[in-house]
Amino acid sequence: MVVKLTPRDVMDDAPVIPVIVLSDVAHAAPLASALVAGGIRMLEVTLRTGAALACIEAIARDVPEAVIGAGTVRSAADAQAAARAGARFAVSPGYTQAVGQACKDLDLPLLPGVSTGSEIMAAQQDGFDALKFFPAVPAGGATMLMAWEGPFGDVKFCPTGGINPANARDFLVLPNVACVGGSWLSPAEVIARGDWKHITQLAKDAVALRAGR
């Protein structure tokens, strides 16, 4: 039986949600298995390549320990395709009511992207309080999140965009940050050479970031 997730479940599972871009479905299951072996279960495969949906489907089928999600969800059609492929959560770069309603209709937990106070208010009005802050560093970084703590103290964020091992803890120590999103757990060159042990070590290092909170 598949346990129903909430957006907070997705964000609270580990300090980092990997932002994954895959062009070859053959890499999907080995990558997911390597990340899970390192302690990272929530995996965001972005819908940026023609192989993305097939990769989501492969991970959902072959790596049941992983919780696969779809990133770069920009329309209701994206959400529907991701759900059909087996995605158990969705992440969007921005927020529209159409995307939000589609995910509600699909019972697909959504982390909507926001970068302004108005966007936070729009997402909250539609019932979303676990949000992706994107692009985090260009949009104001940790300073912006600290400013939002006052008026939006009931919101939790997953900052994504410009996050790396050197600055991740600057975000994770903030009271309104549940986790961060980052692409450094799945470097293209490491995937290309199939160095899955290296991926597992990157995941272990990411899990260890929680100790700094």
Side-chain angles (χ1 to χ4, degrees), residues 6-67:
T6 68
R8 292 286 180 99
D9 291 333
V10 175
M11 296 206 317
D12 289 342
D13 197 68
V16 183
I17 297 175
V19 179
I20 301 166
V21 180
L22 287 170
S23 299
D24 187 343
V25 70
H27 292 148
L31 173 65
S33 294
L35 289 165
V36 169
I40 299 291
R41 299 188 312 139
M42 302 290 169
L43 312 180
E44 176 192 340
V45 173
T46 64
L47 302 183
R48 300 181 192 176
T49 72
L53 290 170
C55 290
I56 290 171
E57 186 174 2
I59 294 169
R61 180 186 65 239
D62 298 335
V63 191
E65 306 88 357
V67 180

Side-chain angles (χ1 to χ4, degrees), residues 12 30 48 58 95 98 124 137 150 159 170 187 191 196 208-209:
D12 289 342
R48 300 181 192 176
Y95 178 69
Q124 274 199 294
V137 171
D170 296 339
I191 293 172
W196 308 123
L209 290 168

Side-chain angles (χ1 to χ4, degrees), residues 1 13 15 20 52 101 122 124 152 163 166 169 179:
M1 180 179 176
D13 197 68
I20 301 166
Q101 188 60 52
Q124 274 199 294
F152 302 116
I163 313 294
R169 277 204 176 100
C179 66

Side-chain angles (χ1 to χ4, degrees), residues 30 81 100 150 153 174 187-188:
L174 300 177

Side-chain angles (χ1 to χ4, degrees), residues 3 21 33 76-77 80 91 110 115 127 152 157 164 173 177 189 201:
V3 177
V21 180
S33 294
Q80 291 158 2
V91 185
L110 173 67
S115 61
F152 302 116
F157 295 95
N164 56 58
V173 297
V177 170
E189 65 278 8
Q201 187 58 55

